[in-house]
């Protein structure tokens, strides 16, 4: 460096940038660590008079704003100088709640392994999907206990929304079906006891399957329609049983529509409620088809549903399980039909009832149903769906 001028010598003129223009730039900490121990102790050579350094201090600070002089200081009060700044909140406007609530929308802080270059490279590399080849396991003995995964999230991940109820609801369905078969042999009034239980399970299970719970008014309305249909079938001649069921269904659709029009809920919510109420009432009312059908056909059809649902719950591959279930339903129809007046036509009644039972069981397994759905809709829908088939095929073979 040049010698420092004495008291009698002329002080250098110019700004600080001009006085230090020929000094080499100061290296950063990373540049100091890269040098060796010998290079770190050796001073950088001062450039000669005719040699210009590669980076001048003036060039390095060319993009910095100039420092205003005393005459260029901003005028005005502090309020005018900070007029465009956002107001500072007072103590009463401070955010309330815990630190976790205040930072709920902030992205998570990466860990030490994610901050390293290796961690970032590994994070950017595509990871193989672990669930690409995963499939649902066979039904468990306990069925599905919780709605563990949100349906929308599961669909976004490409998962199947179907969970079969399992053996436990199948055992209850088989027990209820056998109870219907035995009661039908005793007469219509004996058949009312298991039939009313079936209609109550159908009304409650359909609302819960659609995610509407509690819906006490809708369940009560659907169950009341089922009771009215039962009374109408018992009140008319057996030839007009189907007309009594259809008339009750039409009246209940009109009542449900009027009640939904009086609702003050949002339009979308009213539409969902209308569809769920009409479907629940229709399923509960058509269960009265067991009352209108021939008693021998009811015995054959209910027994076939019990066998088909129980066999479907066994841990078998899906195609084999469906085939064995339908074959078992037809075989049960032949066996029970031989004990009644249906005879060989019981095979057709059992096969039709078995197909309807598997359809109802599939509906009850849709959209990640909870255990409550399995114990209501999973038990009732196979029998409810089979009621029209038992009535129609029973009249054909009878």
């Amino acid at each position: 460096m040049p010698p420092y001028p004495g008291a009698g010598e002329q002080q250098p003129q110019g700004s600080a940038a001009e006085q230090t223009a020929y000094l080499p730039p100061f290296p950063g900490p990373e540049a100091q660590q890269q040098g060796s121990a010998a290079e770190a102790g050796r001073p950088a050579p001062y450039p000669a008079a005719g040699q210009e350094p590669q980076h001048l201090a003036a060039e390095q600070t060319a993009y910095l704003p100039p420092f205003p002089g005393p005459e260029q200081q901003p005028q005005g009060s502090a309020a005018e100088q900070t007029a465009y700044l956002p107001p500072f909140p007072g103590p009463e406007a401070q955010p309330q709640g815990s630190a976790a609530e205040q930072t709920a929308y902030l992205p998570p802080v990466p860990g030490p392994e994610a901050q390293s270059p290796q961690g970032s490279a590994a994070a950017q590399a595509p990871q193989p999907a672990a669930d690409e080849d995963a499939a649902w396991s066979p039904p468990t003995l306990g069925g599905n206990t919780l709605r563990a995964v949100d349906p929308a999230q599961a669909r976004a991940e490409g998962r199947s929304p179907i969970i079969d109820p399992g053996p436990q609801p199948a055992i209850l369905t088989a027990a209820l079906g056998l109870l219907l078969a035995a009661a039908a042999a005793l007469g219509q009034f004996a058949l009312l006891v298991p039939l009313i239980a079936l209609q109550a399970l159908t009304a409650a299970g359909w609302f819960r399957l659609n995610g509407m719970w509690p819906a006490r008014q809708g369940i009560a309305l659907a169950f009341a329609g089922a009771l009215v249909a039962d009374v109408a079938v018992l009140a008319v001649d057996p030839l007009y049983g189907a007309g009594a069921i259809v008339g009750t269904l039409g009246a209940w659709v009109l009542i449900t529509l009027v009640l939904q029009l009086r609702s003050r809920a949002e339009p979308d919510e009213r539409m969902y409620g209308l569809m769920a109420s009409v479907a629940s009432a229709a399923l509960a009312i058509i269960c009265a088809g067991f009352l209108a059908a021939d008693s021998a056909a009811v015995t054959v059809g209910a027994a076939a549903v019990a066998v088909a649902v129980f066999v479907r719950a066994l841990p078998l591959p899906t195609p084999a399980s469906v085939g064995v279930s339908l074959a078992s339903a037809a075989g049960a129809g032949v066996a029970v039909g031989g004990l009644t007046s249906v005879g060989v036509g019981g095979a057709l009644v059992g096969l039709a009832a078995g197909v309807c039972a598997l359809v109802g069981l599939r509906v009850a397994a849709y959209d990640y149903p909870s255990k409550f759905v399995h114990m209501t809709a999973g038990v009732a829908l196979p029998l409810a769906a089979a009621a029209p088939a038992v009535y129609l095929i029973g009249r054909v073979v009878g």
Side-chain angles (χ1 to χ4, degrees):
M1 295 184 63
Y4 185 79
E9 298 179 5
Q10 184 179 2
Q11 298 290 337
Q13 303 295 329
S15 63
E18 295 175 358
Q19 297 176 19
T20 59
Y22 291 97
L23 292 179
F26 183 74
E30 61 278 0
Q32 293 179 356
Q33 295 178 0
Q34 295 177 358
S36 63
E39 293 177 355
R42 183 185 307 168
Y46 186 77
Q51 181 182 3
E52 295 294 336
Q54 295 180 358
H55 302 285
L56 298 180
E59 295 178 0
Q60 298 177 10
T61 60
Y63 292 97
L64 295 178
F67 184 77
E71 65 281 353
Q72 297 179 355
Q73 293 294 336
Q75 304 296 328
S77 62
E80 296 176 357
Q81 299 177 18
T82 60
Y84 293 97
L85 295 178
F88 182 76
E92 63 281 353
Q94 294 293 334
Q96 303 296 330
S98 62
E101 296 176 357
Q102 299 177 17
T103 60
Y105 294 95
L106 295 179
V109 179
E113 65 280 357
Q115 295 178 359
S116 61
Q118 294 82 0
S120 60
Q124 295 175 3
Q127 298 293 337
D131 297 336
E132 288 181 355
D133 300 330
W136 289 107
S137 60
T140 59
L141 294 179
N144 186 30
T145 56
L146 294 173
R147 184 183 288 261
V149 183
D150 183 67
Q153 179 182 357
R155 293 192 193 96
E157 296 174 358
R159 299 183 183 182
S160 173
I162 301 296
I163 297 180
D164 292 327
Q168 188 173 3
I171 293 174
L172 296 178
T173 303
L176 185 57
L178 294 177
L179 188 59
L180 284 170
L186 299 178
Q188 286 184 324
F189 291 98
L191 185 59
L192 275 177
V193 177
L195 180 60
I196 290 176
L198 173 62
Q199 291 168 334
L201 289 175
T202 303
W206 184 260
F207 272 95
R208 189 61 187 92
L209 181 62
N210 286 269
M212 297 180 179
W213 184 265
R216 300 181 183 90
Q217 295 180 356
I219 295 174
L221 181 64
F223 184 62
L227 294 180
V228 171
D230 295 341
V231 173
V233 171
L234 293 175
V236 301
D237 189 84
L239 294 177
Y240 304 104
I245 294 174
V246 174
T248 304
L249 180 58
W252 240 251
V253 170
L254 181 60
I255 293 174
T256 304
L257 181 60
V258 172
L259 292 179
Q260 289 297 328
L261 289 177
R262 293 172 56 87
S263 175
R264 298 182 180 180
E266 296 294 331
D268 292 342
E269 187 176 351
R270 280 186 293 176
M271 181 59 67
Y272 297 151
L274 175 63
M275 294 296 102
S277 300
V278 170
S280 178
L283 289 172
I285 289 172
I286 64 174
C287 290
F290 287 118
L291 277 180
D294 182 69
S295 60
V298 174
T299 301
V300 173
V305 170
V307 173
V309 173
F310 182 79
V311 174
R312 181 66 179 89
L314 297 178
L316 298 174
T318 301
S321 178
V322 172
V324 173
S325 299
L326 296 179
S328 301
V334 173
V336 179
L339 302 176
T340 61
S341 60
V342 177
V344 182
L348 184 58
V349 176
L351 182 60
V355 171
C356 295
L358 294 186
V359 171
L361 192 66
R362 184 71 170 181
V363 172
Y366 185 71
D367 201 12
Y368 287 99
S370 63
K371 187 175 182 180
F372 183 86
V373 175
H374 286 163
M375 291 302 174
T376 53
V379 174
L381 286 183
L383 289 167
V390 169
Y391 175 81
L392 294 175
I393 305 300
R395 288 180 64 88
V396 171
V397 300

